[in-house]
Amino acid sequence: MPAELAEIVDDFNALTEAERLELLLEFSDALPELPERFADHPELLEQVVECQTPLFLTVEVEESEPRTVGLYFSAPPEAPTTRGFASVLAEGLNGRPAAEILAVPDDMPNQLGLTRAITPLRMRGMTAMLGRIKRKINEALAA
């Protein structure tokens, strides 16, 4: 797991369950805005349909080595859980090499210690976000 993401996981696990939810809400507020090139062209984003609320993302993989990845998300402010997890992924993975992101354990969302505080359906959406990112990276690497 990239050091940035591992540090976020450690931060969550150092807290009580209630505090973890507060931290997730803090991440929700910190989700970066979409760059104008995407904000003006929502068709360039892909919906993660497994999420309960509308979450859209796009993945850019650099052509040159080390094939770094840009992650961009769009989620409504009234979806703090979804926004929070998108923000965790953005902070922990954006700008990292593709190989590092592909090596992130698929169960990473469960490692945040939120499984009792968040419904299984929301956890499934979080796992789907990571899965979608990995799929898009694999597609870009194969192209």
Side-chain angles (χ1 to χ4, degrees):
M1 192 176 312
E4 293 88 346
L5 186 58
E7 185 176 323
I8 292 169
V9 170
D10 289 344
D11 289 347
F12 272 89
N13 285 300
L15 302 173
T16 66
E17 201 168 2
E19 292 170 330
R20 289 176 192 155
L21 283 174
E22 289 177 29
L23 182 57
L24 190 64
L25 293 178
E26 288 176 25
F27 270 97
S28 173
D29 293 336
L31 182 66
E33 293 292 322
L34 281 173
E36 279 188 42
R37 68 183 186 274
F38 297 121
D40 295 338
H41 295 283
E43 72 278 3
L44 298 175
L45 301 169
E46 180 177 332
Q47 184 172 9
V48 179
V49 294
E50 296 88 349
C51 290
Q52 281 187 295
T53 54
L55 175 104
F56 297 85
L57 66 82
T58 192
V59 177
E60 294 181 330
V61 180
E62 293 291 324
E63 292 293 323
S64 58
E65 291 300 328
R67 305 295 303 262
T68 56
V69 176
L71 301 174
Y72 306 97
F73 299 91
S74 174
E78 46 293 338
T81 304
T82 301
R83 285 179 60 85
F85 188 65
S87 183
V88 165
L89 292 176
E91 187 171 321
L93 300 177
N94 192 42
R96 305 302 314 155
E100 285 185 24
I101 296 172
L102 292 173
V104 171
D106 292 337
D107 71 341
M108 187 284 298
N110 296 333
Q111 294 179 27
L112 295 174
L114 295 167
T115 54
R116 291 185 350 182
I118 294 178
T119 66
L121 199 53
R122 291 216 185 271
M123 291 302 300
R124 186 174 140 237
M126 291 178 176
T127 302
M129 270 188 245
L130 179 59
R132 185 69 49 92
I133 290 166
K134 288 182 171 188
R135 182 177 58 85
K136 299 296 282 179
I137 291 170
N138 280 322
E139 289 172 0
L141 295 177

